[in-house]
Amino acid sequence: MLKSKNYQFWFCTGSQDLYGDVCLAHVAEHSQKIVEALNASGNLPYEVVWKPTLITNELIRKTLNEANTDENCAGVITWMHTFSPAKSWILGLQEYRKPLLHFHTQFNREIPYDTIDMDFMNENQAAHGDREYGHIFSRLGMERKVIMGYWEDADIQKKIGSWMRTAVGVIESSHIRVMRIADNMRNVAVTEGDKVEAQIKFGWEIDAYPVNEIAAEVESVSKGDIDALVEEYYDKYEILLEGRDEKEFREHVAVQAGIEIGFERFLEAKNYQAIVTHFGDLGSLRQLPGLAIQRLMEKGYGFAGEGDWKTAAMVRLMKIMTQGMKDAKGTSFMEDYTYNLVPGKEGILQAHMLEVCPSVAEGKISIKEQPLSMGDREDPARLVFTSKTGPAIATSLIDLGDRFRLIINDVDCKKVEKPMPKLPVATAFWTPQPNLQTGAEAWILAGGAHHTAFSYDLTSEQMGDWAACMGIEAVYIDRDTTIRQFRNELLWNSAVYRK
Ligand code: MN
């Protein structure tokens, strides 16, 4: 499900013909070495492809347009080894439409004190050429990422790798299709939004289907297929009967197995990568999709409850951005539920009615059945677990009427002090930065939702860069946040982002 293209990034070095062929031969040789080192480093999630040195307006324009149309190219990395007069870049950049990284590096690490002469200076003048080049982006008002540092350093290579994930998020955003089998929950404001504007800004297609169409797909799943999946569940997860009848329990689990198979078939057949449900609008479905949705999220589908298509699309987007990450800790839909306000132990207990992605789980995962306190269906089977510890981000995309705003909060995930044996849902627990009081105040001032798209594997920088590429407002709540400064940012942004 999470398989996407083997994206590549083009490495384009800028120069000019002022310094002669010998110099240009060195430029090409040096940039090839840098590309080889980047690819061999193991620090990049995608391949870098070397391109011939760009020295003229025509070649720059041609190369950047080829990058636009190459389906595998997710972005271009540029570097001015020598001086490349930036007027040569104007037409090419104006026509360029993909993410761009300005990698401000230099071939040599150290100034060669004993041998340095003017030939060396002219050949190795990124400090100078990259400033000329950077100027034209600022003049054009174009979005780009700038990373400065030595190309052999692992931390710099990792920064490039991190930006590559953002770039793939930008490219893949326009391939996200969200299936709504329920409308927004009645009277709820923050989960609403302008679907046309979302398609204009993010490329998302958000379509509604009658819930009974997907329910018919669920009903058509064969008993053999259901039994096989139930066996898999029983092998993989701990069964918490808690006094319930074994046979009835298994039958309820089988309903979720049918939903998982039927939903996945329906989504695949119609080419959707995210879905929303609503506990109050289940048609002929026998249970609120719980375990089934949790498993689909783990496979890479986006999801959010109560018709919240914005969060469902964000969960899908963030799963794409973390794709193939070694030692990934997980990405999920989440909801702020209840606080612990004990001094020194402050935090927010996170859960949802049922639907938390098992990718964030730590330790054993069990199947439970409990009545829902809402709706009118069978007691649904769900996976219960607690989540990993460590730094993570919680994001909320809201529609302010005249614009979208992405709120990004750095959070520290912790274990709760004690088990919660009576709580029948998967949970996480975190303290927002800079602390619960300021974090929650800032979140509420920004208008952030109770639903979030949450990930241990992405950074606020990556999500902020994605928002910048999408041309939307992003606000960060992190260890530097103060309420006075934050209120000012919101005020200034309201002027900057006004349509
Ligand atoms: Mn909810």
Side-chain angles (χ1 to χ4, degrees), residues 372-430:
L372 278 185
S373 49
M374 288 178 259
D376 55 358
R377 299 302 153 111
E378 280 180 4
D379 301 353
R382 78 288 303 271
L383 297 173
V384 295
F385 49 83
T386 57
S387 301
K388 300 181 182 82
T389 57
I393 55 164
T395 69
S396 171
L397 181 70
I398 59 166
D399 185 339
L400 289 168
D402 62 351
R403 68 187 186 280
F404 289 108
R405 169 185 286 159
L406 183 66
I407 300 146
I408 311 161
N409 193 182
D410 288 344
V411 301
D412 296 307
C413 298
K414 301 165 181 177
K415 285 283 171 202
V416 287
E417 283 178 88
K418 294 177 188 173
M420 300 173 285
K422 292 199 165 174
L423 191 66
V425 287
T427 58
F429 180 82
W430 70 57

Short mmCIF file of all heavy atoms in Angstrom, two decimals, residues 372-430:
data_model
loop_
_atom_site.label_atom_id
_atom_site.label_comp_id
_atom_site.label_asym_id
_atom_site.label_seq_id
_atom_site.Cartn_x
_atom_site.Cartn_y
_atom_site.Cartn_z
N LEU A 372 -19.58 0.47 22.61
CA LEU A 372 -19.26 1.88 22.39
C LEU A 372 -20.24 2.68 23.21
O LEU A 372 -21.39 2.33 23.32
CB LEU A 372 -19.45 2.26 20.92
CG LEU A 372 -18.36 1.96 19.91
CD1 LEU A 372 -18.77 2.54 18.59
CD2 LEU A 372 -17.03 2.52 20.36
N SER A 373 -19.78 3.78 23.73
CA SER A 373 -20.74 4.60 24.47
C SER A 373 -21.59 5.43 23.52
O SER A 373 -22.53 6.09 23.93
CB SER A 373 -19.99 5.49 25.46
OG SER A 373 -18.93 6.14 24.81
N MET A 374 -21.23 5.41 22.23
CA MET A 374 -22.00 6.17 21.23
C MET A 374 -22.42 5.23 20.11
O MET A 374 -21.79 4.21 19.87
CB MET A 374 -21.15 7.30 20.67
CG MET A 374 -20.93 8.42 21.65
SD MET A 374 -19.88 9.70 20.98
CE MET A 374 -18.34 9.32 21.76
N GLY A 375 -23.47 5.59 19.40
CA GLY A 375 -23.93 4.79 18.27
C GLY A 375 -24.81 3.63 18.74
O GLY A 375 -25.15 3.53 19.92
N ASP A 376 -25.16 2.76 17.80
CA ASP A 376 -26.17 1.76 18.11
C ASP A 376 -25.82 0.40 17.51
O ASP A 376 -26.68 -0.32 17.05
CB ASP A 376 -27.53 2.23 17.57
CG ASP A 376 -27.47 2.55 16.08
OD1 ASP A 376 -26.36 2.43 15.49
OD2 ASP A 376 -28.50 2.89 15.50
N ARG A 377 -24.53 0.06 17.49
CA ARG A 377 -24.11 -1.18 16.84
C ARG A 377 -23.55 -2.18 17.83
O ARG A 377 -23.40 -1.90 19.01
CB ARG A 377 -23.07 -0.88 15.75
CG ARG A 377 -23.57 0.03 14.66
CD ARG A 377 -24.78 -0.57 13.99
NE ARG A 377 -25.65 0.46 13.43
CZ ARG A 377 -25.82 0.66 12.12
NH1 ARG A 377 -25.20 -0.11 11.27
NH2 ARG A 377 -26.61 1.61 11.70
N GLU A 378 -23.15 -3.36 17.26
CA GLU A 378 -22.49 -4.39 18.06
C GLU A 378 -21.25 -3.83 18.75
O GLU A 378 -20.63 -2.91 18.24
CB GLU A 378 -21.96 -5.49 17.11
CG GLU A 378 -22.96 -6.47 16.64
CD GLU A 378 -22.32 -7.50 15.71
OE1 GLU A 378 -21.08 -7.48 15.51
OE2 GLU A 378 -23.08 -8.32 15.19
N ASP A 379 -20.87 -4.47 19.84
CA ASP A 379 -19.62 -4.09 20.51
C ASP A 379 -18.46 -4.38 19.57
O ASP A 379 -18.23 -5.53 19.19
CB ASP A 379 -19.43 -4.92 21.78
CG ASP A 379 -20.59 -4.73 22.76
OD1 ASP A 379 -21.46 -3.87 22.49
OD2 ASP A 379 -20.62 -5.46 23.77
N PRO A 380 -17.73 -3.36 19.16
CA PRO A 380 -16.70 -3.60 18.15
C PRO A 380 -15.40 -4.14 18.75
O PRO A 380 -15.01 -3.77 19.86
CB PRO A 380 -16.48 -2.21 17.55
CG PRO A 380 -16.88 -1.27 18.63
CD PRO A 380 -17.89 -1.94 19.50
N ALA A 381 -14.74 -4.99 17.97
CA ALA A 381 -13.40 -5.45 18.36
C ALA A 381 -12.40 -4.38 17.98
O ALA A 381 -12.52 -3.74 16.95
CB ALA A 381 -13.08 -6.75 17.63
N ARG A 382 -11.43 -4.19 18.86
CA ARG A 382 -10.39 -3.19 18.63
C ARG A 382 -9.07 -3.66 19.18
O ARG A 382 -9.03 -4.52 20.06
CB ARG A 382 -10.79 -1.83 19.25
CG ARG A 382 -10.61 -1.68 20.75
CD ARG A 382 -11.61 -2.45 21.59
NE ARG A 382 -13.01 -2.15 21.34
CZ ARG A 382 -13.70 -1.18 21.96
NH1 ARG A 382 -13.12 -0.43 22.86
NH2 ARG A 382 -14.98 -1.01 21.70
N LEU A 383 -7.98 -3.10 18.64
CA LEU A 383 -6.64 -3.40 19.15
C LEU A 383 -6.33 -2.41 20.27
O LEU A 383 -6.54 -1.20 20.10
CB LEU A 383 -5.59 -3.26 18.05
CG LEU A 383 -5.74 -4.21 16.85
CD1 LEU A 383 -4.74 -3.85 15.75
CD2 LEU A 383 -5.53 -5.67 17.29
N VAL A 384 -5.82 -2.91 21.37
CA VAL A 384 -5.41 -2.02 22.46
C VAL A 384 -3.92 -2.20 22.75
O VAL A 384 -3.38 -3.30 22.66
CB VAL A 384 -6.25 -2.23 23.74
CG1 VAL A 384 -7.69 -1.85 23.49
CG2 VAL A 384 -6.17 -3.65 24.25
N PHE A 385 -3.30 -1.09 23.06
CA PHE A 385 -1.85 -1.09 23.33
C PHE A 385 -1.49 0.27 23.90
O PHE A 385 -2.30 1.20 23.88
CB PHE A 385 -1.05 -1.36 22.04
CG PHE A 385 -1.46 -0.50 20.87
CD1 PHE A 385 -0.96 0.79 20.71
CD2 PHE A 385 -2.37 -0.96 19.93
CE1 PHE A 385 -1.34 1.58 19.64
CE2 PHE A 385 -2.76 -0.17 18.84
CZ PHE A 385 -2.25 1.10 18.70
N THR A 386 -0.26 0.39 24.36
CA THR A 386 0.27 1.72 24.69
C THR A 386 1.37 2.02 23.68
O THR A 386 1.83 1.14 22.96
CB THR A 386 0.81 1.78 26.13
OG1 THR A 386 1.82 0.78 26.28
CG2 THR A 386 -0.29 1.55 27.14
N SER A 387 1.78 3.28 23.65
CA SER A 387 2.65 3.73 22.55
C SER A 387 4.07 3.98 23.00
O SER A 387 4.37 4.00 24.20
CB SER A 387 2.06 4.98 21.92
OG SER A 387 0.77 4.69 21.44
N LYS A 388 4.91 4.23 22.02
CA LYS A 388 6.34 4.40 22.28
C LYS A 388 6.61 5.74 22.99
O LYS A 388 5.78 6.64 22.98
CB LYS A 388 7.11 4.36 20.96
CG LYS A 388 6.92 3.04 20.21
CD LYS A 388 7.71 3.02 18.92
CE LYS A 388 7.51 1.74 18.13
NZ LYS A 388 6.27 1.75 17.32
N THR A 389 7.79 5.83 23.56
CA THR A 389 8.21 7.08 24.19
C THR A 389 9.15 7.84 23.24
O THR A 389 9.61 7.28 22.25
CB THR A 389 8.93 6.80 25.52
OG1 THR A 389 10.04 5.94 25.23
CG2 THR A 389 8.01 6.13 26.52
N GLY A 390 9.40 9.09 23.58
CA GLY A 390 10.36 9.86 22.79
C GLY A 390 9.73 11.05 22.10
O GLY A 390 8.52 11.26 22.17
N PRO A 391 10.56 11.85 21.40
CA PRO A 391 10.05 13.03 20.73
C PRO A 391 9.19 12.67 19.52
O PRO A 391 9.42 11.65 18.87
CB PRO A 391 11.32 13.76 20.28
CG PRO A 391 12.39 12.72 20.25
CD PRO A 391 12.02 11.68 21.26
N ALA A 392 8.21 13.52 19.26
CA ALA A 392 7.29 13.29 18.14
C ALA A 392 6.67 14.64 17.77
O ALA A 392 6.95 15.66 18.41
CB ALA A 392 6.21 12.28 18.53
N ILE A 393 5.87 14.63 16.71
CA ILE A 393 5.13 15.84 16.37
C ILE A 393 3.65 15.53 16.23
O ILE A 393 3.26 14.45 15.79
CB ILE A 393 5.63 16.51 15.06
CG1 ILE A 393 5.60 15.53 13.89
CG2 ILE A 393 7.02 17.10 15.24
CD1 ILE A 393 5.71 16.21 12.53
N ALA A 394 2.82 16.50 16.64
CA ALA A 394 1.38 16.42 16.43
C ALA A 394 1.00 17.60 15.53
O ALA A 394 1.44 18.73 15.78
CB ALA A 394 0.65 16.52 17.76
N THR A 395 0.24 17.31 14.48
CA THR A 395 -0.10 18.37 13.53
C THR A 395 -1.61 18.47 13.36
O THR A 395 -2.31 17.48 13.47
CB THR A 395 0.52 18.12 12.14
OG1 THR A 395 -0.14 17.00 11.54
CG2 THR A 395 2.01 17.87 12.22
N SER A 396 -2.06 19.66 13.09
CA SER A 396 -3.48 19.88 12.82
C SER A 396 -3.61 20.87 11.67
O SER A 396 -3.04 21.96 11.72
CB SER A 396 -4.16 20.43 14.08
OG SER A 396 -5.48 20.85 13.78
N LEU A 397 -4.33 20.45 10.64
CA LEU A 397 -4.58 21.33 9.49
C LEU A 397 -6.00 21.88 9.64
O LEU A 397 -6.95 21.12 9.70
CB LEU A 397 -4.46 20.53 8.18
CG LEU A 397 -4.68 21.34 6.91
CD1 LEU A 397 -3.53 22.31 6.66
CD2 LEU A 397 -4.84 20.40 5.71
N ILE A 398 -6.10 23.19 9.71
CA ILE A 398 -7.43 23.79 9.89
C ILE A 398 -7.74 24.75 8.74
O ILE A 398 -6.83 25.26 8.08
CB ILE A 398 -7.55 24.53 11.24
CG1 ILE A 398 -6.49 25.65 11.36
CG2 ILE A 398 -7.43 23.55 12.40
CD1 ILE A 398 -6.75 26.61 12.50
N ASP A 399 -9.03 24.94 8.52
CA ASP A 399 -9.50 25.86 7.48
C ASP A 399 -10.05 27.10 8.19
O ASP A 399 -11.02 27.00 8.95
CB ASP A 399 -10.58 25.17 6.65
CG ASP A 399 -11.01 26.03 5.47
OD1 ASP A 399 -10.80 27.27 5.50
OD2 ASP A 399 -11.57 25.47 4.51
N LEU A 400 -9.39 28.23 7.96
CA LEU A 400 -9.81 29.47 8.65
C LEU A 400 -10.79 30.29 7.82
O LEU A 400 -11.09 31.43 8.17
CB LEU A 400 -8.57 30.31 8.98
CG LEU A 400 -7.69 29.74 10.09
CD1 LEU A 400 -6.35 30.46 10.14
CD2 LEU A 400 -8.39 29.83 11.44
N GLY A 401 -11.27 29.70 6.74
CA GLY A 401 -12.23 30.43 5.91
C GLY A 401 -11.54 31.12 4.76
O GLY A 401 -11.93 30.95 3.61
N ASP A 402 -10.47 31.87 5.07
CA ASP A 402 -9.73 32.52 3.97
C ASP A 402 -8.41 31.83 3.69
O ASP A 402 -7.68 32.22 2.78
CB ASP A 402 -9.51 34.01 4.25
CG ASP A 402 -8.68 34.25 5.50
OD1 ASP A 402 -8.42 33.28 6.25
OD2 ASP A 402 -8.28 35.40 5.73
N ARG A 403 -8.07 30.80 4.48
CA ARG A 403 -6.80 30.10 4.25
C ARG A 403 -6.73 28.86 5.13
O ARG A 403 -7.47 28.71 6.08
CB ARG A 403 -5.62 31.00 4.57
CG ARG A 403 -5.48 31.32 6.06
CD ARG A 403 -4.39 32.35 6.27
NE ARG A 403 -4.10 32.60 7.66
CZ ARG A 403 -4.82 33.40 8.45
NH1 ARG A 403 -5.92 33.96 7.99
NH2 ARG A 403 -4.46 33.61 9.70
N PHE A 404 -5.78 27.97 4.75
CA PHE A 404 -5.45 26.84 5.62
C PHE A 404 -4.30 27.23 6.52
O PHE A 404 -3.42 28.00 6.13
CB PHE A 404 -5.03 25.62 4.80
CG PHE A 404 -6.15 24.97 4.04
CD1 PHE A 404 -6.24 25.10 2.66
CD2 PHE A 404 -7.12 24.23 4.71
CE1 PHE A 404 -7.27 24.49 1.96
CE2 PHE A 404 -8.16 23.63 4.01
CZ PHE A 404 -8.23 23.76 2.63
N ARG A 405 -4.31 26.68 7.73
CA ARG A 405 -3.17 26.85 8.64
C ARG A 405 -2.76 25.46 9.14
O ARG A 405 -3.60 24.68 9.57
CB ARG A 405 -3.58 27.73 9.83
CG ARG A 405 -2.55 27.75 10.97
CD ARG A 405 -3.06 28.54 12.17
NE ARG A 405 -3.03 29.98 11.90
CZ ARG A 405 -3.78 30.87 12.57
NH1 ARG A 405 -4.63 30.47 13.51
NH2 ARG A 405 -3.68 32.15 12.29
N LEU A 406 -1.46 25.19 9.10
CA LEU A 406 -0.95 23.95 9.68
C LEU A 406 -0.30 24.28 11.02
O LEU A 406 0.61 25.11 11.08
CB LEU A 406 0.08 23.29 8.75
CG LEU A 406 0.64 21.95 9.23
CD1 LEU A 406 -0.44 20.88 9.28
CD2 LEU A 406 1.80 21.49 8.35
N ILE A 407 -0.78 23.63 12.06
CA ILE A 407 -0.22 23.83 13.41
C ILE A 407 0.65 22.62 13.72
O ILE A 407 0.21 21.48 13.56
CB ILE A 407 -1.36 23.98 14.44
CG1 ILE A 407 -2.22 25.19 14.06
CG2 ILE A 407 -0.80 24.12 15.85
CD1 ILE A 407 -3.68 25.03 14.39
N ILE A 408 1.88 22.88 14.11
CA ILE A 408 2.84 21.79 14.34
C ILE A 408 3.38 21.92 15.76
O ILE A 408 3.97 22.94 16.11
CB ILE A 408 4.03 21.88 13.35
CG1 ILE A 408 3.52 22.05 11.91
CG2 ILE A 408 4.91 20.65 13.47
CD1 ILE A 408 4.59 22.58 10.96
N ASN A 409 3.15 20.91 16.55
CA ASN A 409 3.58 20.95 17.96
C ASN A 409 4.61 19.84 18.21
O ASN A 409 4.35 18.68 17.94
CB ASN A 409 2.36 20.75 18.86
CG ASN A 409 2.60 21.07 20.33
OD1 ASN A 409 1.68 20.91 21.13
ND2 ASN A 409 3.78 21.50 20.71
N ASP A 410 5.78 20.21 18.71
CA ASP A 410 6.74 19.21 19.20
C ASP A 410 6.21 18.68 20.52
O ASP A 410 5.84 19.47 21.40
CB ASP A 410 8.11 19.84 19.43
CG ASP A 410 8.81 20.19 18.13
OD1 ASP A 410 8.38 19.69 17.08
OD2 ASP A 410 9.79 20.97 18.16
N VAL A 411 6.18 17.36 20.65
CA VAL A 411 5.67 16.76 21.88
C VAL A 411 6.65 15.70 22.38
O VAL A 411 7.41 15.13 21.58
CB VAL A 411 4.26 16.14 21.67
CG1 VAL A 411 3.27 17.19 21.21
CG2 VAL A 411 4.30 14.97 20.69
N ASP A 412 6.63 15.45 23.67
CA ASP A 412 7.46 14.40 24.26
C ASP A 412 6.56 13.29 24.76
O ASP A 412 5.77 13.49 25.70
CB ASP A 412 8.30 14.98 25.42
CG ASP A 412 9.27 16.03 24.91
OD1 ASP A 412 10.03 15.72 23.97
OD2 ASP A 412 9.24 17.17 25.42
N CYS A 413 6.69 12.12 24.14
CA CYS A 413 5.82 10.99 24.49
C CYS A 413 6.42 10.23 25.67
O CYS A 413 7.62 9.99 25.72
CB CYS A 413 5.65 10.07 23.30
SG CYS A 413 4.85 10.90 21.92
N LYS A 414 5.52 9.86 26.58
CA LYS A 414 5.95 9.21 27.82
C LYS A 414 5.05 8.02 28.10
O LYS A 414 3.96 7.92 27.54
CB LYS A 414 5.84 10.21 28.98
CG LYS A 414 6.68 11.46 28.77
CD LYS A 414 6.29 12.58 29.71
CE LYS A 414 7.16 13.81 29.43
NZ LYS A 414 6.79 14.95 30.27
N LYS A 415 5.51 7.19 29.02
CA LYS A 415 4.64 6.14 29.53
C LYS A 415 3.75 6.75 30.60
O LYS A 415 4.19 7.61 31.36
CB LYS A 415 5.49 5.03 30.17
CG LYS A 415 6.19 4.14 29.16
CD LYS A 415 5.20 3.15 28.55
CE LYS A 415 5.84 2.40 27.38
NZ LYS A 415 4.84 1.83 26.46
N VAL A 416 2.51 6.30 30.67
CA VAL A 416 1.70 6.72 31.81
C VAL A 416 2.21 5.98 33.04
O VAL A 416 2.81 4.92 32.93
CB VAL A 416 0.18 6.46 31.61
CG1 VAL A 416 -0.40 7.44 30.61
CG2 VAL A 416 -0.08 5.03 31.19
N GLU A 417 1.96 6.59 34.19
CA GLU A 417 2.54 6.04 35.42
C GLU A 417 2.06 4.64 35.76
O GLU A 417 2.79 3.85 36.34
CB GLU A 417 2.14 6.95 36.59
CG GLU A 417 2.91 8.20 36.69
CD GLU A 417 2.38 9.01 37.86
OE1 GLU A 417 2.86 8.80 38.97
OE2 GLU A 417 1.44 9.80 37.64
N LYS A 418 0.78 4.40 35.44
CA LYS A 418 0.18 3.12 35.84
C LYS A 418 -0.61 2.55 34.68
O LYS A 418 -1.06 3.30 33.82
CB LYS A 418 -0.83 3.36 36.99
CG LYS A 418 -0.21 3.83 38.27
CD LYS A 418 -1.33 4.08 39.27
CE LYS A 418 -0.77 4.75 40.52
NZ LYS A 418 -1.84 5.15 41.44
N PRO A 419 -0.81 1.23 34.67
CA PRO A 419 -1.69 0.67 33.64
C PRO A 419 -3.12 1.19 33.81
O PRO A 419 -3.49 1.64 34.91
CB PRO A 419 -1.63 -0.85 33.90
CG PRO A 419 -0.73 -1.06 35.05
CD PRO A 419 -0.30 0.25 35.62
N MET A 420 -3.89 1.14 32.75
CA MET A 420 -5.28 1.61 32.79
C MET A 420 -6.18 0.44 32.35
O MET A 420 -6.66 0.42 31.22
CB MET A 420 -5.45 2.83 31.88
CG MET A 420 -4.54 3.99 32.29
SD MET A 420 -4.53 5.38 31.13
CE MET A 420 -3.54 4.71 29.79
N PRO A 421 -6.36 -0.53 33.25
CA PRO A 421 -6.99 -1.80 32.83
C PRO A 421 -8.43 -1.65 32.35
O PRO A 421 -8.91 -2.51 31.62
CB PRO A 421 -6.91 -2.66 34.09
CG PRO A 421 -6.74 -1.71 35.22
CD PRO A 421 -6.00 -0.52 34.67
N LYS A 422 -9.08 -0.58 32.76
CA LYS A 422 -10.48 -0.46 32.37
C LYS A 422 -10.67 0.34 31.08
O LYS A 422 -11.79 0.49 30.59
CB LYS A 422 -11.28 0.21 33.49
CG LYS A 422 -11.38 -0.67 34.72
CD LYS A 422 -12.51 -0.23 35.62
CE LYS A 422 -12.80 -1.33 36.63
NZ LYS A 422 -13.80 -0.90 37.62
N LEU A 423 -9.57 0.88 30.56
CA LEU A 423 -9.69 1.70 29.35
C LEU A 423 -9.57 0.80 28.12
O LEU A 423 -8.53 0.20 27.89
CB LEU A 423 -8.59 2.77 29.34
CG LEU A 423 -8.75 3.86 28.28
CD1 LEU A 423 -9.98 4.71 28.56
CD2 LEU A 423 -7.50 4.75 28.25
N PRO A 424 -10.64 0.72 27.31
CA PRO A 424 -10.63 -0.25 26.21
C PRO A 424 -10.10 0.29 24.89
O PRO A 424 -10.58 -0.10 23.83
CB PRO A 424 -12.12 -0.61 26.10
CG PRO A 424 -12.81 0.67 26.44
CD PRO A 424 -11.94 1.39 27.44
N VAL A 425 -9.16 1.23 24.94
CA VAL A 425 -8.63 1.78 23.69
C VAL A 425 -7.11 1.90 23.75
O VAL A 425 -6.53 1.98 24.82
CB VAL A 425 -9.21 3.19 23.38
CG1 VAL A 425 -10.65 3.10 22.94
CG2 VAL A 425 -9.05 4.13 24.57
N ALA A 426 -6.50 1.94 22.56
CA ALA A 426 -5.06 2.18 22.46
C ALA A 426 -4.80 3.63 22.85
O ALA A 426 -5.62 4.52 22.60
CB ALA A 426 -4.59 1.93 21.04
N THR A 427 -3.65 3.88 23.46
CA THR A 427 -3.36 5.24 23.94
C THR A 427 -1.92 5.64 23.67
O THR A 427 -1.04 4.81 23.44
CB THR A 427 -3.55 5.34 25.47
OG1 THR A 427 -2.69 4.38 26.11
CG2 THR A 427 -4.99 5.12 25.88
N ALA A 428 -1.73 6.94 23.72
CA ALA A 428 -0.39 7.53 23.83
C ALA A 428 -0.53 8.59 24.92
O ALA A 428 -1.64 8.98 25.29
CB ALA A 428 0.05 8.14 22.52
N PHE A 429 0.59 9.06 25.42
CA PHE A 429 0.57 10.11 26.43
C PHE A 429 1.73 11.04 26.13
O PHE A 429 2.85 10.58 25.94
CB PHE A 429 0.72 9.51 27.83
CG PHE A 429 0.69 10.53 28.94
CD1 PHE A 429 -0.51 11.03 29.43
CD2 PHE A 429 1.89 10.99 29.51
CE1 PHE A 429 -0.53 11.98 30.45
CE2 PHE A 429 1.87 11.93 30.53
CZ PHE A 429 0.67 12.43 31.00
N TRP A 430 1.44 12.33 26.03
CA TRP A 430 2.55 13.23 25.74
C TRP A 430 2.41 14.56 26.46
O TRP A 430 1.32 14.98 26.85
CB TRP A 430 2.74 13.43 24.25
CG TRP A 430 1.72 14.21 23.47
CD1 TRP A 430 1.29 15.49 23.67
CD2 TRP A 430 1.03 13.75 22.28
NE1 TRP A 430 0.40 15.86 22.70
CE2 TRP A 430 0.21 14.82 21.84
CE3 TRP A 430 1.03 12.55 21.56
CZ2 TRP A 430 -0.60 14.70 20.70
CZ3 TRP A 430 0.24 12.46 20.44
CH2 TRP A 430 -0.57 13.52 20.01
#
